[in-house]
Amino acid sequence: GAPVRGVVSFHGILDSPPELSQEAPVRAKVLVCHGRCDRCSPPEAIEAFVQEMEARGVDWQMHTYGDTFHAFTRPEKTAPADREAGYFFNAAAE
């Protein structure tokens, strides 16, 4: 119910926090920018997010970037250890 027109998530965790009301209307448009290789939001979390958005009648979109990990907007995440941990910058996805 917050008075905002739109929100954007970049490599976000797409769960539904229990402290948020599931009855409150979501009036803002929602855009999710997600890396296909993001282990922080695996396919089952994505599906749960989709189900929630559809059940609540939210105007939403998701842009999924191939070969892209969590933290893809963080240019300092370029070490091999970062990629192994699932956090890796992707300039093409910026």
Side-chain angles (χ1 to χ4, degrees), residues 10-11 17-18 33 38-40 45-46 54 64-65 69 71 73 79 91 93:
F10 293 93
H11 46 77
C33 299
D38 188 339
R39 294 181 219 148
C40 296
I46 299 300
E54 291 178 351
T64 302
Y65 302 91
F69 293 78
T73 63

Side-chain angles (χ1 to χ4, degrees), residues 32-86:
V32 174
C33 299
H34 175 70
R36 177 70 177 96
C37 302
D38 188 339
R39 294 181 219 148
C40 296
S41 289
E44 53 275 7
I46 299 300
E47 183 57 28
F49 171 81
V50 168
Q51 294 296 322
E52 179 181 356
M53 294 296 100
E54 291 178 351
R56 296 181 75 176
V58 177
D59 182 354
W60 69 278
Q61 293 184 18
M62 181 178 293
H63 294 201
T64 302
Y65 302 91
D67 194 33
T68 302
F69 293 78
H70 194 76
F72 62 82
T73 63
R74 297 184 55 195
E76 74 276 12
K77 296 293 184 183
T78 57
D82 292 324
R83 188 174 183 100
E84 289 174 22

